Amino acid sequence: GDLDKVVNLLLSLSGRLARVEAALGSLGPHAPAEDKLALREKRRLLVAQLEDAKELKEHVGRREEAVGAMVARYLPAEHLQDYQHFVKMKSALIAEQRELEEKIKLGQEQLRCLRESL
C-alpha cells in the first residue's frame, strides 16, 4: 500500500512540476513579473516536495528489503520468486496505469474539443 502511495505521489509531483516548467517556458518576455515569480516559487516548492518524495521511496525500498528478507524465511523458493516479481512489477504497473489514465483524459478532452468545434 505504501508503495502505491509513494509511486502515485512521485508521478503526481513530477507531472505538476512538468506543467509548471512548461508554463514558465511559455511566458513571454512581457509577462507580468508577479506571474513569473509565482511560477518560480511554485517550481521551487514542487522540487523540494519531489526530493522529499524520493526520500520516502528510498525508505519504502529499505522497508521492502527487510520484509522481503523475512518473507524469504517462510516461503518456498518458487513462491518467493513470485513474491519478488510481484513487488518489482507493482511500481511499473502503477506508472503505466497512471500514464494510460492521462492519455485517456487527453483523448477525452480532445474529443470534447472536436465535438464543440463541429
Side-chain angles (χ1 to χ4, degrees), residues 42-94:
K42 192 178 281 192
R43 182 188 180 284
R44 186 189 66 75
L45 290 172
L46 286 169
V47 166
Q49 289 175 340
L50 190 58
E51 289 303 314
D52 290 345
K54 287 178 182 177
E55 288 179 24
L56 277 174
K57 187 170 188 307
E58 289 173 12
H59 175 72
V60 169
R62 288 190 299 273
R63 210 172 66 200
E64 177 186 314
E65 288 175 16
V67 169
M70 278 197 300
V71 168
R73 286 187 245 157
Y74 298 102
L75 288 180
E78 175 185 308
H79 291 144
L80 180 60
Q81 286 178 341
D82 290 343
Y83 168 78
Q84 290 169 335
H85 178 71
F86 169 76
V87 171
K88 219 181 264 185
M89 292 303 298
K90 191 166 185 169
S91 293
L93 291 173
I94 291 168

Side-chain angles (χ1 to χ4, degrees), residues 108-118:
Q108 289 172 337
E109 181 66 21
Q110 289 173 337
L111 183 60
R112 185 186 61 77
C113 289
L114 282 172
R115 284 184 179 150
E116 288 176 1
S117 69
L118 293 177

